[in-house]
Amino acid sequence: MSLHLSHRTAPGNPWFSWQYVRDNSDTILAALREHTWLTARAVLLAALVALPLAVVAYWFRSLAGPVLAVSGVLYTIPSLALFAFLGPTLGIGAVTVLTVVVLYALLTIVRNALAGLHQVPPEVLEAAEGMGYGRWARLFRIELPLALPGILTGLRLATVSTVALVTVGVVIGRGGLGQIIFAGFQNNFYKAQIMTGTVLCVLLALVLDLVLAGVGRLLTPWLRGRAS
């Protein structure tokens, strides 16, 4: 990562510097794009794995405990240990970072999706069954739409936590904004560099959360009517 070290000749070591941002705008934007892309792919992959797991746990109640237990155990493994375990097999790159953050996002999405499915009113399910809906028809036409608030809550929580976790990918050189933060520590604790990466991480998490909240409002118009 190429950085202009203008702070070495500037007096003091401020927490924010427009000069640093201007001199390193290309590097900052590249790190932000990588961070956003890694986060989006990780949450999408986690959702593709977690939602079927939640459905299986919902249909077969005896599997709910094991599914939550396994995803919970994965969540407790230190991220650095996962990088060490997966690195020799998957290599040093984006695939390893994605795998680690996907594993961490599973528990949040599975738990909230399962809670959303359990909150579908029994009388609605009985009515759907009386209308001749089979298991798959009920799932896609009744249960998943009504469980959307819980699913979206899980996606929002997973997205925010993934933005933070992607920075740990700096240990294998694919940490997005984490590269800027870590480089600031290496660069004689350059505060402006550290603060720029940190603030952009927070803003990215807020923007993605607001986007998902907006998507949720569009997909659940009945909740808007209830709130009003």
Side-chain angles (χ1 to χ4, degrees):
M1 180 175 293
S2 175
L3 296 169
H4 297 282
L5 307 182
S6 58
H7 71 287
R8 293 183 184 277
T9 57
N13 184 14
W15 277 108
F16 188 78
S17 167
W18 279 116
Q19 183 67 42
Y20 164 77
V21 174
R22 288 193 297 268
D23 290 346
N24 299 278
S25 58
D26 290 341
T27 299
I28 294 170
L29 289 175
L32 179 60
R33 284 193 297 268
E34 180 186 44
H35 206 111
T36 303
W37 183 228
L38 284 171
T39 299
R41 282 189 292 172
V43 174
L44 177 60
L45 290 172
L48 291 175
V49 175
L51 291 179
L53 286 176
V55 171
V56 169
Y58 174 66
W59 280 349
F60 306 100
R61 303 301 171 92
S62 61
L63 295 179
V67 167
L68 291 173
V70 171
S71 55
V73 168
L74 292 173
Y75 191 82
T76 62
I77 299 175
S79 56
L80 292 179
L82 276 179
F83 280 120
F85 293 149
L86 298 175
T89 303
L90 301 179
I92 304 301
V95 174
T96 302
V97 177
L98 282 173
T99 303
V100 170
V101 293
V102 164
L103 291 177
Y104 278 111
L106 286 179
L107 177 63
T108 303
I109 300 176
V110 169
R111 179 180 291 170
N112 284 276
L114 189 57
L117 288 168
H118 282 308
Q119 289 173 0
V120 177
E123 58 271 19
V124 173
L125 297 178
E126 292 175 3
E129 187 174 355
M131 294 172 62
Y133 283 18
R135 170 175 281 185
W136 289 101
R138 287 200 310 271
L139 177 67
F140 287 107
R141 301 184 64 177
I142 305 294
E143 292 166 321
L144 285 178
L146 291 180
L148 266 178
I151 294 172
L152 288 169
T153 296
L155 289 175
R156 290 175 65 183
L157 292 172
T159 299
V160 171
S161 63
T162 297
V163 170
L165 186 60
V166 166
T167 59
V168 185
V170 68
V171 299
I172 58 174
R174 297 300 297 269
L177 294 168
Q179 301 291 122
I180 293 177
I181 297 171
F182 185 68
F185 284 100
Q186 290 184 315
N187 194 15
N188 294 330
F189 196 76
Y190 185 23
K191 295 178 181 178
Q193 192 170 356
I194 297 169
M195 180 60 73
T196 298
T198 302
V199 169
L200 286 176
C201 277
V202 174
L203 290 177
L204 178 60
L206 288 174
V207 168
L208 293 178
D209 186 58
L210 288 174
V211 168
L212 288 175
V215 171
R217 286 181 61 84
L218 291 175
L219 295 178
T220 56
W222 64 88
L223 292 182
R224 296 201 303 272
R226 185 185 305 172
S228 62

